[in-house]
């Protein structure tokens, strides 16, 4: 795990991820670099981790300080060790419906749907948000499972009307309690990815849970909904990367 700079949010995420890896018996190697680290030094560290056979997963916590090119850094990670599923190679595999590491939060959303017995095949699925880390990959995963997927964003006209058509709504906007009960078709499934702090400093989602719960068939809470799934999927991606590496090693023998 690579943490650059001293963003307090990122530090908490990295600490929690590290704790979880150790708890499940994985070895975690942490690298904390100063906010002004030269790009070449960060890329050199990634190269060393790519080459280290004891490392199966590399995570560089985003966002990075402004002087560092996030795309370049993401591309430098060996796709086989890209446990965040953000390398263009893995994004490409996902868009082709092929196996590979998938971005952790979207993967967690799908596991929640599966475990709750919610089928998306043939359903109207609306994703609000089109980020590379959540909106786009979650849309690809819903499509892979034969949902009829609409991706909405800040320029979508009459968002509420689009959302009201949906059987499954995944909300990843970053605006506290924006989606209210009157946006939701009765019985629809609502997954809230948002993490926001309200005026009192409390963590709230993008969904107004109370009003949505009155009409929805199911709705995930914030906190303790999608959030913990993200870390669980990071562990799963790391274990999968390890298994693939072992298989390749055995085949090369
Ligand atoms: P982002 O800022 O990169 O993207 C937000 C998206 O929402 C954009 O595509 C934008 O077009 C859309 N949007 C913004 N305002 C809108 C509006 N008024 N109407 C419709 N669409 C609008 O954010 P992100 O990284 O995708 O994260 C989204 C939320 O999910 C944030 O609250 C973030 O903290 C949270 N998040 C949670 C987890 C987790 O582990 N649970 C992981 C990643 C992100």
């Amino acid at each position: 795990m690579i943490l650059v700079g001293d963003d307090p949010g990122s530090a908490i995420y990295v600490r929690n991820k590290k704790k979880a890896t150790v708890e499940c018996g994985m070895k975690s190697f942490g690298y904390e670099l100063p906010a002004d680290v030269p790009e070449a030094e960060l890329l050199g560290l990634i190269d060393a981790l790519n080459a280290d056979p004891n490392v199966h997963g590399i995570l560089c916590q985003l966002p990075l300080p402004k002087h560092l090119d996030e795309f370049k850094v993401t591309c430098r990670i060996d796709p086989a060790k890209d446990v965040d599923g953000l390398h263009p190679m893995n994004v490409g595999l996902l868009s082709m419906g092929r196996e590979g590491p998938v971005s952790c939060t979207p993967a967690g959303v799908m596991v929640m749907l599966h475990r709750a017995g919610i089928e998306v095949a043939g359903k109207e699925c609306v994703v609000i948000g089109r980020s590379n880390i959540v909106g786009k990959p979650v849309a690809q995963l819903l499509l892979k499972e034969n949902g009829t997927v609409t991706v909405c964003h800040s320029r979508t006209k009459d968002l509420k009307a689009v959302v009201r058509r949906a059987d499954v709504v995944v909300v990843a906007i970053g605006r506290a309690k924006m989606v209210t009960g009157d946006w939701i078709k009765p019985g629809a499934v609502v997954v809230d990815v948002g993490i926001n702090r309200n005026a009192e400093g409390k963590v709230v989602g993008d969904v107004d849970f109370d009003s949505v719960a009155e009409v929805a068939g199911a709705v995930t809470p914030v906190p303790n909904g999608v959030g913990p799934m993200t870390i669980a999927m990071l562990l799963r991606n790391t274990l999968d990367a390890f298994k693939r590496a072992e298989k390749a090693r055995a085949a090369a023998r």
Side-chain angles (χ1 to χ4, degrees), residues 51-75:
D52 185 343
N54 290 316
V55 174
H56 297 94
I58 303 171
L59 182 154
C60 183
Q61 184 67 40
L62 303 179
L64 291 172
K66 291 272 175 293
H67 71 285
L68 298 167
D69 179 345
E70 282 187 0
F71 184 66
K72 194 168 171 186
V73 170
T74 303
C75 290

Side-chain angles (χ1 to χ4, degrees), residues 13 105 128-135 152-156 159 171-175 178 192-196 206 226-228 230:
Y13 284 136
T105 304
I128 321 179
R130 59 171 161 188
S131 69
N132 290 330
I133 199 157
V134 189
C152 300
H153 45 79
S154 52
R155 302 279 191 91
T156 298
L159 179 62
V171 191
I173 313 172
R175 287 179 197 263
M178 184 168 140
D192 187 357
V193 180
I195 300 178
N196 312 284
D206 291 346
V226 173
T230 300

Side-chain angles (χ1 to χ4, degrees), residues 135-219:
K136 283 183 203 158
V138 96
Q140 292 288 0
L141 289 167
L142 292 165
L143 192 58
K144 194 175 173 190
E145 297 198 5
N146 304 311
T148 301
V149 184
T150 305
V151 182
C152 300
H153 45 79
S154 52
R155 302 279 191 91
T156 298
K157 291 211 172 85
D158 203 356
L159 179 62
K160 182 173 159 181
V162 179
V163 175
R164 267 201 71 93
R165 294 203 308 256
D167 304 304
V168 178
V169 189
V170 180
V171 191
I173 313 172
R175 287 179 197 263
K177 298 191 177 190
M178 184 168 140
V179 175
T180 47
D182 54 330
W183 291 40
I184 303 300
K185 179 162 98 177
V189 171
V190 182
V191 181
D192 187 357
V193 180
I195 300 178
N196 312 284
R197 282 206 185 267
N198 68 9
E200 294 91 57
K202 230 180 102 193
V203 173
V204 294
D206 291 346
V207 169
D208 178 38
F209 185 89
D210 292 339
S211 66
V212 168
E214 280 178 26
V215 272
V219 52

Side-chain angles (χ1 to χ4, degrees), residues 7-49:
D7 178 72
S10 293
I12 293 172
Y13 284 136
V14 167
R15 199 183 325 126
N16 289 341
K17 288 170 184 174
K18 190 171 179 176
K19 197 167 150 252
T21 47
V22 172
E23 270 171 13
C24 75
M26 292 179 189
K27 237 182 218 160
S28 172
F29 310 92
Y31 297 86
E32 289 181 18
L33 305 178
D36 60 353
V37 67
E39 189 172 82
E41 195 175 319
L42 174 59
L43 296 176
L45 172 61
I46 292 172
D47 290 345
L49 297 172

